[in-house]
Each structure stands twice: as structure tokens, then as C-alpha cells.
């Protein structure tokens, strides 16, 4: 046999395993770096293209919105200019002026101008209290035109001046004292009067010295009753920031993305970041973003002071730009959509970072696999494995001969030395085994001492109910004497009723079938808690019949099973730990009774909520009968009162449990479309200020088996919530469609929506998002209960600020006939 002295040391060198690992790493690093670089470049390009198209689409939508906003204000101003009363008064004024000589008109104009500029009270009163001024005030407040009654507050606040001039440009009527008296030389007046022909003229952004703010103006000629020539000009001055900001500032995306409005010279009309009236910081990007066709561009700067390349979407306001041609010399207004480059390209940088991290992990994994492969693919390893087996059997008589010139050869030498050392040290192995056996016995005694120190009774059983061990607490709690090495039955030691003995035997048998993991095969009611401290108190409130308890004398014990490895070569044991829970059990019974009392309160509140809707219907129909003289209509109202009364009786029967026995017998084929329309009628009658536009999208679906009153009440509760969310004004979209397995009914409102953190609570009793006194929080709770009685399911989908959709589904009846429902 070769001894350690026979093997001479070899110099250190790069072995086979190192060579294989280095080769595999080189093969992996080069493709990985190339892939990362290409992925970064391609990802950046795709983000530019996708973001550019998205910014372009957003710019087009914003320009359309702003164009409509300006068009609406032009239309409102034009309605004032086309008022016959305004035209008639200006024609009379024109006739008076034309009847005077040129000298008389000049003298009168000079006198009126001097009095106006000197703020003569009589001159101011002549203008501000002129009948035309009262007409302007009526139009401005909405009292003159029904279409302007809903004029937004922001539009009125943004209008700083509104006044009329005659054919000489002199001030005739005004809402304020701010306008200049003589306007004949003003660009807007010449553009709108247009030598008597008249045309719409929108003046571009400029700073008004009187108002000390940047404004735009709308000038509309007032044509005579024959539409032949202009008899005056209506001029409206609008604060640009207040007018456009409500439409542009809310359009935000990300942290920096926003929409702004500029003119063809790069002057800002509205921007969440830049003040109105300033120009873009980089003049070179102005021609790039003021094209008359929408698009997007990668600009050298962001126009907000940043110098990094930016993606900018832009679009002109076509209608408004045509009206501003006179003041812009062929220019117009444009929307400008921008987001910070750092934020825009953050995803691809984040992706590149994670790809680098994953690439590093992949290289580490590749190195590990290389090490594993190098250790497994070398053929001489098999010879070493065979030699190791021989050493284990004590049969290796000849030294291992391996000549590979690397670590494998060194390993063979080490095995040879190890074999020699094993032979030398084998003599002392028996003494080591004896020492370890003594250590095991010490550990067993320590375990017994630990169990005796536990204050709760503990029994160790086999699967035949034989008690092999009980700790000191068990002997003291039940006054048990030493068994003298005998293994008594558990039921000999514990005096338990027959039902408790049967339950423990059944649980132990199930644990025995599953061995150590048998607890997972128990029924839910009998399953011992896994991975839990047996002495810890449970926070659950359970019915007394479901608790894991044993009554021993006057004491109530909670018990838990736990698996235990066998001692020595015997079979596996099961542990039973008991905990005194007399006071805890009594307290938990009291908590359950209190919970039941709370449930009775919920039931009472539910009855009140359900009776409110039909009761309001009865009161409303009763009041209608008092004022109705048509006998047929009175009969119809009486029929509806009877239906509401039946519904109230049905609700009382349902909540008190009387109707449960015959609920299945009262089900009939129910047409969902008809029930939905009836629920709409009910809600409409109960809503005083009903201004809801209803859009129906009904498909052909079969009838379902249900109680019609339940379906109608559930739908009414959902519709009441939708109408209240819209405050009686908005659009309600109703849809019914079918799939191979389901019938789906959808109700979508245009209200304020529900916050995501509140969406999971909407079906909880008494939970409501309404203000105090406007809702009980039981509508959706009761609706879900009624729908579940018919086999239905209800859920809500909502985006805050964009409305809510309620989706109600029923299983498809197998043999129900189709019924076509007209949209």
C-alpha cells in the first residue's frame, strides 16, 4: 500500500475544472453583453416610437377638446350678436348717428369720450345701465338663453370684459367700466367690422394693460336685420389662463407629463409649469412643433429649460387657427404634449439594470453549472468512485493509479493516503460509538426533564391508545400514580364520556393513517392545527360545538395533537397536550351571544332599508291620486300601490323566514330586460330632478328562474346607487348579453367612481361612501343577498373619476327558451 511519504507534492497549476469553468464563462459573457446592448438600443427606440405616437394621439385629443371649447364660446357670443333686440337697438343707434352731420358726430364723440375717461357718473350710467347692457347681462347670466343656463362657472369667471360698439367703434353698452370708449383704431375692431361686411375675429394672446393679465378676445360683428351690413361689434375679452387651464392642467400622466397650449410664435397660452405669456426657452423647437399637421418629434430640448432630447407630440387647433389668421399672419394655436426624458426612459433603464443583475446571476449560475459539469464529465472520476466503494467495504488492497496531470490525479493520491489513515484509525472506532450512545441517553433524559417542566399536562401515546409517557403536570392534575413501567390505556387515566372517547379515538386513527403528516388528512372540523404552539391561546371565536374541548370533572381543557418521532427503534408516537381553558371557554360563549345580538341589529336595519323604497313609492302614488282626475290613471296608480304593498309583504316574509319554505315554488321565468326597465321606472319616479340619459344595449337572452320581486328590488338598489353617484345628472348604460355559460347584465354610470381601497368593502353592511344621512350602507348588501337567492353573482369595477360598472351574472338555463329583446 502506498504511504503518504511515497507521494511527492506537485506544483500548483490550472486544473481541468478551472479550464472548463473559464471556457463556459467566456462563451456566456460575450453573447450576454451583445444581447444587453442590443436590447437597450431596441427598447429605447421602441419607447420613442410608442411614446411619440401616444403623445401625438393625446395632442390630437387635447386640440379637439380645446377647439370645441373655443367653438362653444364663439357660439355663445354669436347668439348674443344675433339677438333681434340687440340688432334693433343698434339699428336705431345707427340711424340716429347717420342723421347727424359729420361735425355733429365728431363733437358728440369727443364729448362722450371726455366724459367716459373722466369717469363722469352720468356717462358711466348711460353705458352700464343702457338697455343693451341689461340684455348683455341677461345673456351672460343665462336668463336670456336656455342653452346658456348651464354656462360653466369657469367661463363666466374667465370673461373679464363684454361690451358693444357702434359703427364708429364707440362704446355703446358694457357690463363693466373697464373697456375703452373709442375702439375704431383697434385691430380687433377693424378685423371684426371689416368695412361693414363683418367677420368673426379671434385676437391672439396679448397683455392687457387695463386688466394686467394675458388675454384673448372674441369679436363678432352684429349684422342688421337684413344681414346686409354690420351695425356694431360685440367684443369679449377672456383671461387666457383661467379659460384654458381647466381643460389643459388636469391632463397629466406620470410625474412630469402634461399638455400645454402655444401659438405659432411659441408663446404659452396655458401650461401647468410655465406661466402664461412666456415663450418656449429654445426657439429652435418652435418650427418643429407648430406644423399645421399633427405629429411627434424628437426635439433637442424640452422647451421648459431642459437641454436633454425630448419626445414631443403636437397638433394644431384647426378651427380656432383659421379664426386667428388675421392676428397671427397665417399662424394659429397648437397643443404641445411633453414628458421628462428621464421619466420617459426610466422603464428601459430599469429594465437594463435588472437585465444586468439577471445577467450577473446567469453568469454565476453558468459558472456553477460549469463546475458541476466539470466534476461530472471527467471519466477518471468513475474510477475514484469505485475505489471509494471499495474503501467503504474495506476491500481496497491496491493503491489507485490515475495519471491525468490535474486535480483528479491529486485526488487519487489523497484517497490513497486516506485509505492508509482509515486502516490506522479503525481501532478506536468502537470506543467512539459507545461514547455517542451515552450522549443519546443523556439527551433522552434531558427531554424528559423539559417535558416535566411544562405546566400543561402532556401524554405520549401510540396508535393503540397506550400511554407511554406522561409528564409531572399530568400526574398532578389528574392525581395519577406511577404505572410502574406498565402502559395503561388513556381512557383508564382520564374519566371521559363516551362521546369524547369516540372523538379522540377517531382523530387518533386518522393521525395513525397519515403518520407524521396525518394531521393534514383530517376533516376540517377534526383537523389538529399544524405548525402552531399547542399552549398558545386561539384568537378565533367558535361555536361551543366546534371547539376542541374536553370536560374532565369541573374543568374544561382545550387539547391539541402533535406528531412525535419514536424513541429508539419503536413506532412513531403522537402527543396530546391539554390546556386549562375553563375561564376562556366561558368568555368565548359570552362573545358569541353578543355577536348574535349584533346580527339581530343588522337584520332590523336591513328590514327598514328594504321597506323604504316601496313605502316611498306608495306615498308618491298616493299624492299623485289626490291631484289626478282621470279615472283610468287613478286605477293605474292604485294598481301600482297594490304592487308596492305586495312587495312590502314579501320583504317582511323574506326577512322573518316565512317565505323560505316556498321560495323555490314561487320562482317563475323572469325576463331580465323587462325587470330592468321596471326598476328604471321605479328609480325615475323616486328621483325628483331626473336628468339621466339612458343607453340600452340589450341582446337576446333566455329567461331565468327567479322571484320577480327579488330581481326587481336588487336592480333598483343598484340603480339608486348609480343615480345618486351621478347626483341625478349623467349617462347610464344598460347592457344584457350572453356567453356559452352565463347571462351577464351590466349597469355603467358616469359618476365619480369608487376609490380602490374602498372597492372591497362596498358589500359590507352599513358601509357607505355617501355623506352623513344620505345612505344606510345596506343597498348593495341586500342586493347581493337577493341575487344570490336566484343563483346570481354581483361585483363592481370602478376607476375613480371615471364612473362605476356593476356586473351581474346568472348561470345559463339549460332548457330555457330564447326570447328576443328589442334594443
Amino acid at each position: 500500500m502506498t504511504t503518504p511519504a511515497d507521494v511527492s507534492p506537485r506544483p500548483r497549476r490550472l486544473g481541468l475544472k478551472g479550464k472548463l469553468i473559464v471556457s463556459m464563462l467566456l462563451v456566456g459573457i460575450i453573447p450576454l453583453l451583445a444581447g444587453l446592448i442590443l436590447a437597450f438600443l431596441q427598447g429605447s427606440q421602441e419607447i420613442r416610437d410608442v411614446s411619440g405616437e401616444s403623445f401625438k394621439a393625446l395632442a390630437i385629443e387635447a386640440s379637439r377638446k380645446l377647439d370645441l371649447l373655443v367653438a362653444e364660446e364663439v357660439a355663445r357670443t354669436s347668439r348674443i350678436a344675433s339677438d333681434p333686440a340687440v340688432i334693433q337697438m343698434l339699428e336705431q343707434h345707427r340711424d340716429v348717428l347717420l342723421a347727424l352731420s359729420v361735425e355733429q358726430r365728431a363733437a358728440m364723440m369727443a364729448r362722450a369720450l371726455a366724459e367716459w375717461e373722466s369717469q363722469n357718473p352720468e356717462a358711466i350710467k348711460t353705458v352700464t345701465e343702457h338697455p343693451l347692457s341689461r340684455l348683455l347681462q341677461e345673456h351672460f347670466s343665462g336668463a336670456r338663453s336656455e342653452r346658456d343656463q348651464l354656462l360653466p362657472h369657469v367661463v363666466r369667471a374667465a370673461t373679464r370684459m363684454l361690451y358693444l360698439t357702434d359703427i364708429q367703434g364707440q362704446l355703446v353698452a358694457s357690463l363693466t367700466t373697464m373697456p375703452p370708449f373709442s375702439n375704431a383704431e383697434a385691430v380687433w375692431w377693424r378685423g371684426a367690422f371689416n368695412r361693414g361686411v363683418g367677420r368673426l375675429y379671434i385676437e391672439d394672446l396679448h397683455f392687457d394693460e387695463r386688466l394686467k393679465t394675458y388675454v384673448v378676445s372674441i369679436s363678432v360683428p352684429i349684422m342688421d336685420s337684413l344681414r346686409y351690413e354690420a351695425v356694431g361689434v360685440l367684443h369679449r375679452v377672456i383671461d387666457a389662463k383661467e379659460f384654458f387651464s381647466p381643460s389643459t392642467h388636469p391632463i397629466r400622466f406620470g410625474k412630469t407629463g402634461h399638455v400645454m397650449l402655444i401659438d405659432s410664435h411659441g408663446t404659452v397660452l396655458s401650461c401647468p409649469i410655465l406661466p402664461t405669456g412666456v415663450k418656449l426657452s429654445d426657439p429652435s423647437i418652435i418650427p418643429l412643433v407648430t406644423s399645421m399637421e399633427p405629429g411627434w418629434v424628437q426635439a433637442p430640448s424640452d422647451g421648459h429649460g431642459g437641454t436633454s432630447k425630448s419626445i414631443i407630440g403636437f397638433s394644431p387647433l384647426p378651427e380656432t387657427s383659421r379664426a386667428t389668421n388675421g392676428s397671427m399672419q397665417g399662424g394659429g394655436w397648437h397643443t404641445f404634449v411633453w414628458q421628462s426624458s428621464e421619466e420617459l426612459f426610466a422603464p428601459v433603464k430599469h429594465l437594463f439594470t435588472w437585465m444586468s443583475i439577471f445577467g450577473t446571476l446567469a453568469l454565476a449560475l453558468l459558472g456553477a453549472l460549469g463546475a458541476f459539469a466539470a466534476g461530472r464529465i471527467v471519466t477518471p472520476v468513475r474510477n475514484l468512485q469505485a475505489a471509494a466503494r471499495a474503501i467503504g467495504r474495506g476491500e481496497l488492497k491496491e493503491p489507485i493509479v490515475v495519471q491525468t496531470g490535474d486535480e483528479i490525479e491529486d485526488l487519487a493520491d489523497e484517497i490513497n493516503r486516506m485509505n492508509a489513515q482509515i486502516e490506522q484509525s479503525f481501532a478506536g472506532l468502537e470506543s467512539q460509538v459507545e461514547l455517542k450512545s451515552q450522549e443519546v441517553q443523556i439527551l433522552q433524559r434531558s427531554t424528559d426533564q423539559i417535558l416535566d417542566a411544562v405546566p400543561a399536562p402532556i401524554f405520549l401515546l401510540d396508535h393503540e391508545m397506550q400511554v407511554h409517557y406522561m409528564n409531572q403536570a399530568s400526574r398532578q392534575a389528574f392525581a395519577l400514580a406511577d404505572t410502574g413501567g406498565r402502559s395503561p390505556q388513556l381512557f383508564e387515566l382520564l374519566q371521559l364520556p363516551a362521546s369524547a372517547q369516540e372523538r379522540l379515538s377517531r382523530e387518533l386513527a386518522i393521525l395513525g393513517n397519515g403518520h407524521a403528516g396525518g394531521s393534514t388528512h383530517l376533516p376540517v372540523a377534526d383537523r389538529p392545527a399544524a405548525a402552531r404552539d399547542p399552549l398558545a391561546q386561539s384568537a378565533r371565536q367558535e361555536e361551543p360545538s366546534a371547539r376542541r374541548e374536553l370536560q374532565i370533572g369541573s374543568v374544561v381543557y382545550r387539547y391539541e395533537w402533535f406528531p412525535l418521532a419514536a424513541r429508539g427503534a419503536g413506532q412513531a408516537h403522537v402527543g396530546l397536550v391539554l390546556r386549562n381553558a375553563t375561564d376562556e371557554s366561558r368568555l368565548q360563549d359570552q362573545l358569541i351571544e353578543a355577536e348574535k345580538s349584533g346580527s339581530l341589529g343588522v337584520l332590523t336595519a336591513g328590514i327598514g332599508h328594504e321597506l323604504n323604497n316601496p313605502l316611498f313609492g306608495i306615498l308618491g302614488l298616493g299624492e299623485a291620486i289626490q291631484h289626478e282626475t282621470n279615472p283610468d290613471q287613478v286605477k293605474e296608480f292604485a294598481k301600482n300601490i297594490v304592487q308596492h304593498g305586495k312587495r312590502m309583504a314579501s320583504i317582511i316574509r323574506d326577512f322573518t323566514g316565512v317565505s323560505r319554505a316556498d321560495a323555490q315554488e314561487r320562482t317563475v321565468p323572469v325576463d331580465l330586460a323587462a325587470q330592468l326597465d321596471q326598476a328604471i321606472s321605479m328609480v325615475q319616479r323616486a328621483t325628483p330632478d331626473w336628468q339621466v340619459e339612458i343607453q340600452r344595449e340589450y341582446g337576446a337572452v333566455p329567461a331565468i328562474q327567479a322571484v320577480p320581486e327579488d330581481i326587481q328590488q336588487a336592480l333598483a338598489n343598484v340603480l339608486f346607487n348609480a343615480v345618486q353617484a351621478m347626483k341625478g345628472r349623467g349617462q347610464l348604460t344598460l347592457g344584457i348579453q350572453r356567453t356559452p355559460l352565463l347571462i351577464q347584465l351590466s349597469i355603467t354610470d358616469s359618476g365619480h367612481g369608487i376609490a380602490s381601497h374602498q372597492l372591497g368593502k362596498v358589500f359590507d353592511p352599513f358601509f357607505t361612501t355617501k355623506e352623513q344621512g344620505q345612505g344606510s350602507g345596506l343597498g348593495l348588501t341586500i342586493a347581493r343577498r337577493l341575487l344570490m337567492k336566484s343563483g346570481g353573482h354581483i361585483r363592481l369595477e370602478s376607476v375613480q373619476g371615471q364612473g362605476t360598472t356593476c356586473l351581474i351574472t346568472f348561470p345559463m338555463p339549460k332548457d330555457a327558451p330564447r326570447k328576443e329583446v328589442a334594443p
Side-chain angles (χ1 to χ4, degrees), residues 22 57 59 118 140 207 264 459 489 491 502 512 516 522 552 633 664 689 696 759 767 820:
V22 171
S118 64
F140 186 71
F207 185 82
S264 59
F459 297 91
Q489 288 283 335
F491 301 141
E502 180 182 356
L522 282 171
I552 304 177
Q633 188 63 44
Q664 186 65 30
D689 300 326
R696 293 177 171 85
L759 199 57
F767 176 80
E820 294 290 339

Side-chain angles (χ1 to χ4, degrees), residues 20 336 716:
L20 290 175
F336 181 115

Side-chain angles (χ1 to χ4, degrees), residues 592-610:
I592 290 174
E593 290 300 323
E595 220 173 67
K596 290 179 179 179
S597 299
S599 299
L600 181 59
V602 174
L603 175 63
T604 305
I607 294 175
H609 180 277
E610 284 289 81

Side-chain angles (χ1 to χ4, degrees), residues 194-208:
N194 197 22
R195 300 180 181 179
V197 177
R199 67 169 180 175
L200 171 66
Y201 190 92
I202 299 179
E203 192 176 21
D204 198 36
L205 181 73
H206 61 281
F207 185 82
D208 193 300

Side-chain angles (χ1 to χ4, degrees), residues 87-375:
I87 296 173
Q88 182 180 5
M89 290 184 187
L90 285 177
E91 285 181 334
Q92 294 173 357
H93 184 77
R94 177 200 58 186
D95 295 338
V96 169
L97 290 176
L98 294 179
L100 300 174
S101 64
V102 175
E103 292 78 13
Q104 290 175 332
R105 287 200 299 268
M108 183 178 65
M109 180 177 179
R111 184 173 60 257
L113 175 60
E115 291 176 349
W116 177 261
E117 290 181 349
S118 64
Q119 296 293 298
N120 186 295
E122 290 299 323
I124 292 175
K125 184 177 180 180
T126 302
V127 174
T128 57
E129 296 184 9
H130 194 279
L132 285 173
S133 298
R134 289 194 292 271
L135 285 177
L136 290 179
Q137 183 62 44
E138 290 178 3
H139 278 287
F140 186 71
S141 62
R144 189 74 176 176
S145 173
E146 294 181 357
R147 286 180 293 182
D148 290 336
Q149 287 180 356
L150 299 179
L151 187 67
H153 175 74
V154 67
V155 173
R156 291 196 177 98
T159 300
R160 295 303 180 88
M161 289 190 292
L162 181 64
Y163 56 94
L164 284 167
T165 65
D166 58 13
I167 58 175
Q168 296 184 130
Q170 296 183 52
L171 184 64
V172 176
S174 173
L175 298 182
T176 65
T177 62
M178 297 294 293
F181 186 84
S182 178
N183 302 276
E185 299 302 321
V187 176
W188 62 264
W189 191 89
R190 294 200 304 270
F193 191 74
N194 197 22
R195 300 180 181 179
V197 177
R199 67 169 180 175
L200 171 66
Y201 190 92
I202 299 179
E203 192 176 21
D204 198 36
L205 181 73
H206 61 281
F207 185 82
D208 193 300
E209 293 294 338
R210 292 173 178 265
L211 300 175
K212 303 301 181 182
T213 186
Y214 283 91
V215 298
V216 295
S217 66
I218 300 174
S219 303
V220 179
I222 302 175
M223 306 303 291
D224 61 10
S225 56
L226 299 178
R227 308 296 296 174
Y228 178 73
E229 63 178 1
V231 294
V233 175
L234 175 62
H235 187 59
R236 182 176 180 181
V237 181
I238 300 173
D239 188 319
K241 181 178 180 180
E242 291 189 19
F243 182 71
F244 292 113
S245 60
S247 299
T248 58
H249 289 195
I251 306 177
R252 302 297 296 264
F253 49 95
K255 295 181 179 179
T256 61
H258 64 278
V259 174
M260 57 189 295
L261 180 65
I262 63 174
D263 62 17
S264 59
H265 297 303
T267 304
V268 175
L269 280 78
S270 178
C271 177
I273 298 177
L274 298 177
T276 300
V278 304
K279 288 197 173 184
L280 298 180
S281 60
D282 186 359
S284 64
I285 70 171
I286 295 176
L288 300 178
V289 298
T290 55
S291 172
M292 295 310 294
E293 294 294 333
W296 67 275
V297 67
Q298 184 174 1
S301 65
D302 57 20
H304 292 68
T307 57
S308 59
K309 291 185 178 180
S310 301
I311 305 298
I312 300 174
F314 55 88
S315 176
L317 278 66
E319 298 301 327
T320 305
S321 297
R322 278 193 286 271
T324 59
N325 281 344
S327 61
M328 292 292 296
Q329 290 81 38
W333 294 352
H334 307 264
T335 54
F336 181 115
V337 178
W338 170 81
Q339 186 179 26
S340 169
S341 298
E342 183 177 355
E343 182 182 4
L344 181 64
F345 291 98
V348 72
K349 293 179 180 178
H350 187 69
L351 175 63
F352 184 78
T353 301
W354 277 106
M355 288 178 66
S356 301
I357 295 174
F358 292 149
T360 303
L361 295 177
L363 289 177
L365 180 61
L366 185 61
L369 291 176
F372 176 77

Side-chain angles (χ1 to χ4, degrees), residues 607 610-611 614 646-656:
I607 294 175
E610 284 289 81
L611 291 178
K646 290 180 178 179
R647 176 57 188 161
M648 294 175 69
S650 174
I651 291 171
I652 295 174
R653 290 198 307 271
D654 189 17
F655 273 100
T656 56

